[in-house]
Amino acid sequence: MKHESVPFFRHNLSEADAASIAKVMQSPFITTGAVTRQTQSLMCEYFQISHAKLTNSWTNGAVATLLALNIGPGDEVIVPAMTFVATANVVELVGAVPIFVDVHADDLLIDIGAVAGALTPRTRAVIPVHLYGQMVDIASLRERIGPDIAIIEDAAHCFEGMLSGTRPGQFSDAAIFSFYATKNVTCGEGGAVITRSEKLALALDRTTIHGMSAGADRRFSGNVYRHWDMEQLGTKANLPDLLAAVLPAQIAQVDERRVERQRLANRYRSAFSNYPMVRLVNQVPGAVSAEHLFPIGVPEDLRDLVLRKINDANIGTTVNYRSVHQTKFYRQKYDLKPEDFPVSREWGECTLSLPLFPGLLDDEQEYLIENVQSILHEICNELECKK
Ligand SMILES: *Cc1c(COP(=O)(O)O)cnc(C)c1O
């Protein structure tokens, strides 16, 4: 079969998932209830952890977590500059200050030494990001910063990944997932917070629903109205059963799908490692990557040209990510300079992501690789001509 276009992503939700949603619609209860609780139990089992809370996004889950930890005005939270803006935005949303640090040039993961160097008496938390699916070494981070600063893992890219046999949540205060449309586990929009801490889990029960002392299914249980109170400010972060209904099947498939992601990623690796002008992200020793994205780096002055030519060949591509400290909001608010975080800045100017999802056909991927290689080749030749 000949392909003339390749999308950046195709979801895998099916008729069976539609039936799961229809089943919830036939019940009288469509918001957070039994289906969400069953899915939370599945999450606890998968991560071998005591508490899981489904949320309507990573972002709202993170805001609820920061509120539950009483992090707000006057506090600082350390975040990597190379991440999606949401990682820093949640810190702003609760009135705290995001303190950016740089990442390592080889794997683009947060520089633990830089985290240690950024600690102040106001530091309350660190949000390490398991960028592209490879885990930050959370045990080492904990050792480096001591027991008093919260570690909240941004595991939006890493549901099924592991480092030395450990999964997200095992050494941190909380790990937060995203179930956004293109994530490895999805329900369209959604997320989850997992934690070993009973105290944090109880606080999350409130901060995920307006700070109220009981959720809707509890307030109306047995058709008896119960008064509720509000002792603490919360947001609205709960996931409805309507969406939770598709998650059990997603979780059941995720490990099998990861194997396919890895096969596809390895095909890219053999096509582009040692390819002229192309830089790949190093694989972390001991890591099982969730292979969420497949970014490549090209010379920064050529990135936008390569990106446009790939799009012109009807191949879906994106940038993950331009460095957060260079966005207008953060640059202006904190007077940040591009060179403040040089590794993040440079990667942000040279990276672009190739389509990577189970269901990407081998001949689609071949079409794509051939096109990208000939685009790079062409640009390479043009540059030679100019010299
Ligand atoms: C997708 C993503 C988020 C935000 O997730 P939402 O569910 O859309 O709020 C946060 N961090 C990273 C690294 C992401 O990729």
Side-chain angles (χ1 to χ4, degrees), residues 82 104-109 131-134 269 272-273 278-284 289 291 293-297 320 347 351-353:
M82 176 43 58
H104 289 292
D106 53 355
D107 57 21
L108 286 317
L109 300 179
L131 199 71
Y132 309 136
Q134 303 200 100
R269 287 187 185 103
F272 292 111
S273 64
V278 175
R279 180 177 150 199
L280 298 183
V281 178
N282 275 20
Q283 294 179 272
V284 174
S289 175
E291 306 280 14
L293 292 166
F294 199 88
I296 64 171
N320 307 98
W347 181 248
T351 189
L352 61 94
S353 301

Side-chain angles (χ1 to χ4, degrees), residues 8-84:
F8 185 69
F9 180 75
R10 271 193 301 259
H11 75 74
N12 75 322
L13 298 183
S14 66
E15 287 300 313
D17 299 300
S20 304
I21 293 172
K23 204 170 146 206
V24 175
M25 289 173 79
Q26 283 149 17
S27 82
F29 204 84
I30 54 176
T31 184
T32 308
V35 179
T36 295
R37 280 197 297 278
Q38 283 156 19
T39 310
Q40 287 171 173
S41 302
L42 289 175
M43 295 272 303
C44 289
E45 227 170 89
Y46 187 91
F47 291 100
Q48 292 291 298
I49 203 161
S50 46
H51 306 280
K53 187 100 195 152
L54 293 187
T55 59
N56 52 21
S57 66
W58 181 96
T59 300
N60 280 337
V63 167
T65 301
L66 292 167
L67 291 173
L69 293 169
N70 282 308
I71 293 174
D75 296 331
E76 293 177 355
V77 177
I78 298 173
V79 300
M82 176 43 58
T83 181
F84 181 53

Side-chain angles (χ1 to χ4, degrees), residues 90-164:
V90 294
V91 178
E92 285 287 328
L93 283 168
V94 299
V97 176
I99 302 295
F100 294 101
V101 297
D102 215 344
V103 293
H104 289 292
D106 53 355
D107 57 21
L108 286 317
L109 300 179
I110 195 166
D111 180 339
I112 291 176
V115 173
L119 296 174
T120 76
R122 293 178 297 282
T123 309
R124 291 287 316 282
V126 184
I127 311 183
V129 180
H130 302 318
L131 199 71
Y132 309 136
Q134 303 200 100
M135 281 182 71
V136 173
D137 185 346
I138 302 297
S140 299
L141 175 62
R142 173 57 80 207
E143 211 166 277
R144 201 62 193 268
I145 65 174
D148 298 330
I149 291 162
I151 299 176
I152 302 167
E153 295 169 71
D154 180 339
H157 293 185
C158 185
F159 188 98
E160 67 275 42
M162 289 190 277
L163 182 65
S164 313

Side-chain angles (χ1 to χ4, degrees), residues 201-350:
L202 288 171
L204 278 166
D205 283 342
R206 295 187 295 270
T207 59
T208 50
I209 62 154
H210 311 293
M212 291 159 82
S213 52
D217 64 323
R218 304 267 188 226
R219 291 199 306 282
F220 295 104
S221 64
N223 282 328
V224 180
Y225 178 82
R226 285 157 221 248
H227 282 300
W228 51 271
D229 198 359
M230 177 187 147
E231 297 165 21
Q232 185 178 8
L233 183 64
T235 182
K236 186 64 161 52
N238 60 306
L239 188 72
D241 278 9
L242 273 178
L243 291 179
V246 306
L247 289 173
Q250 290 275 302
I251 296 168
Q253 295 167 56
V254 71
D255 287 320
E256 211 179 289
R257 284 165 62 80
R258 195 203 66 78
V259 174
E260 177 62 2
R261 284 181 176 277
Q262 187 168 35
R263 189 184 72 85
L264 294 166
N266 285 340
R267 279 161 56 94
Y268 280 138
R269 287 187 185 103
S270 53
F272 292 111
S273 64
N274 304 316
Y275 198 84
M277 305 201 301
V278 175
R279 180 177 150 199
L280 298 183
V281 178
N282 275 20
Q283 294 179 272
V284 174
V288 173
S289 175
E291 306 280 14
H292 174 54
L293 292 166
F294 199 88
I296 64 171
V298 297
E300 59 178 271
D301 48 335
L302 299 178
R303 193 267 309 273
D304 288 356
L305 178 66
V306 175
L307 195 65
R308 191 172 50 74
K309 288 189 179 233
I310 293 175
N311 283 156
D312 286 348
N314 292 315
I315 295 164
T317 175
T318 62
V319 170
N320 307 98
Y321 302 92
R322 287 188 295 161
S323 188
V324 179
H325 80 284
Q326 289 182 269
T327 59
K328 187 175 177 188
F329 177 87
Y330 290 107
R331 182 175 83 219
Q332 292 188 344
K333 181 160 184 181
Y334 297 108
D335 191 24
L336 299 169
K337 303 280 175 273
E339 61 275 16
D340 289 345
F341 309 102
V343 178
S344 299
R345 184 209 65 78
E346 196 204 348
W347 181 248
E349 306 282 311
C350 75

Side-chain angles (χ1 to χ4, degrees), residues 148-199:
D148 298 330
I149 291 162
I151 299 176
I152 302 167
E153 295 169 71
D154 180 339
H157 293 185
C158 185
F159 188 98
E160 67 275 42
M162 289 190 277
L163 182 65
S164 313
T166 66
R167 291 190 185 277
Q170 295 188 1
F171 301 109
S172 63
D173 294 81
I176 308 179
F177 303 95
S178 171
F179 303 143
Y180 172 70
T182 60
K183 299 287 160 62
N184 292 13
V185 168
T186 184
C187 60
E189 296 283 356
V193 184
I194 60 172
T195 178
R196 298 171 296 160
S197 161
E198 165 130 52
K199 186 169 168 235

